[in-house]
Amino acid sequence: MMNTTSSWRCICVPGPVIVGAGPSGLATAACLKERGVPSVVLERSNCIASLWQLKTYDRLRLHLPKQFCELPLMGFPTDFPTYPTKQQFVDYLEEYARKFDIEPRFNETVSGAEYDTTLGFWRVKSVGIKGKGMEYVCRWLVVATGENAEAVVPEMEGKGEFGGDVRHTSLYKSGEEFRGKRVLVVGCGNSGMEVCLDLCNHNARPSLVVRDTVHVLPREMLGRSTFGLSMWLLKWLPIRFVDRLLLIISWLMLGDTARFGLERPRLGPLELKNLSGKTPVLDVGTLANIKSGDIKVCPSIKRLKRFAVEFVDGKTESFDAIILATGYKSNVPSWLKEREMFSEKDGYPRRPFPNGWKGGNGLYAVGFTKRGLLGTSMDAKRIAEDIDRCWKHEAKHHLAFSRSPLLQQPSP
Ligand SMILES: Cc1cc2nc3c(=O)[nH]c(=O)nc-3n(C[C@H](O)[C@H](O)[C@H](O)COP(=O)(O)OP(=O)(O)OC[C@H]3O[C@@H](n4cnc5c(N)ncnc54)[C@H](O)[C@@H]3O)c2cc1C
Ligand SMILES: NC(=O)c1ccc[n+]([C@@H]2O[C@H](COP(=O)([O-])OP(=O)(O)OC[C@H]3O[C@@H](n4cnc5c(N)ncnc54)[C@H](OP(=O)(O)O)[C@@H]3O)[C@@H](O)[C@H]2O)c1
């Protein structure tokens, strides 16, 4: 149903509105479709999976084996490698959207969403490319805007003075354009470590800012993926014991990482992940370059100068470019006017995993578990099941109401 009488257009959506056409939004739409519940997917960019298509570097592959990254109802093609490339993952998502006939409304940025207590519906406002406004009125709202919606760009003293290129990893494609250059990579998560490796492979000269402790684990151990092995061990052993094992094997395979400037946290990798959400780095070759001195580890930055950086240990070094591998944040507080389910502070559901997917008044969250695509699949299935239950219940009421004697025509 559409109201076009005023300058903005209003659409009443019979099923849920899903905000975001990344893997989480697609998975939820597919699970709903499977149950016969229609949905409308709103996406700010011009394609599905915009994080993967527009904001990731060329050499990216899934870090976890494909069986841990597939979305519900459709596996990866059997001829895909264990760790699919970014393009293969995007191809898989395109095929997924085709199979479930998901056609997001592209170039629509959701700028506000609020529950109308009088109506008992959500009012979702979006802005198109030419500033065209739309309002969707719906019974259910699914937040699928992701943990990586916006780049985190830290304040740094002297930032305006630096003469070279400063960019976030979301704008980094390849080390090719940095060939021969001295590049400072800030942040040692999976992005920072992998970008350093890419820079080395393109004969650039990277240094890496490590401001805190970090767990680096080999991507594979004992012939299995580290992630798969951990999941398997956790079925039988307590988390602290599994952490001990992972650290012993890592020490045997990688050596003492503290010797190269990468001190380990006091808590083990899985316990730390569970408590704080901090992901361990899965090494795909960066550590060898750190050991050989091809990548230099530096402490925190004190200030930037024209073509140099002063570090907190008082040393100053020259650099041509700076890459900020400083992570991402949720953008939910900027558009969702709701304070109970989502924290205003970090834009994540307040209730911890596995209970963060459902709020009040028909509000849901998919993909905010800090557990990657595996968490996405779990959320999507639960949300579809829950909405389907209400959908069927309401349909039954509608039917009963329409058959009610009150609505029957009086006989002539
Ligand atoms: C470099 C990198 C590599 C990764 N590799 C892996 C991996 O190997 N395995 C794994 O499990 N996870 C990985 N992740 C984690 C990643 O978060 C998930 O893979 C996945 O992309 C999450 O899907 P999502 O749909 O929740 O979020 P996203 O993929 O971020 O999708 C959210 C969508 O919402 C849209 N959106 C945001 N705000 C609005 C708005 N206001 N209005 C309309 N649309 C909006 C965005 O444009 C985007 O398309 C990686 C992340 C990064 C950054
Ligand atoms: N192939 C893959 O599968 C792959 C590749 C890349 C990324 N990813 C995933 O993508 C997500 C995002 O990863 P990410 O590496 O981009 O972000 P991230 O995991 O959040 O790491 C950001 C890093 O930047 C550091 N940092 C932040 N601000 C800083 C500052 N001012 N100075 C110095 N260091 C600073 C953080 O240090 P602190 O810890 O001290 O805050 C942290 O080490 C993660 O889930 C990750 O696993 C996956």
Side-chain angles (χ1 to χ4, degrees), residues 252-266:
L252 291 172
M253 291 178 69
L254 307 175
D256 178 10
T257 57
R259 277 184 49 217
F260 315 109
L262 304 170
E263 299 252 7
R264 287 193 184 276
R266 199 175 44 80

Side-chain angles (χ1 to χ4, degrees), residues 57 60-61 63 186-191 211-212 278 325-328:
Y57 41 88
L60 182 67
R61 281 175 172 266
H63 261 192
V186 184
C188 66
N190 277 300
S191 297
R211 71 168 177 186
D212 201 359
K278 193 167 170 178
T326 42
Y328 297 83

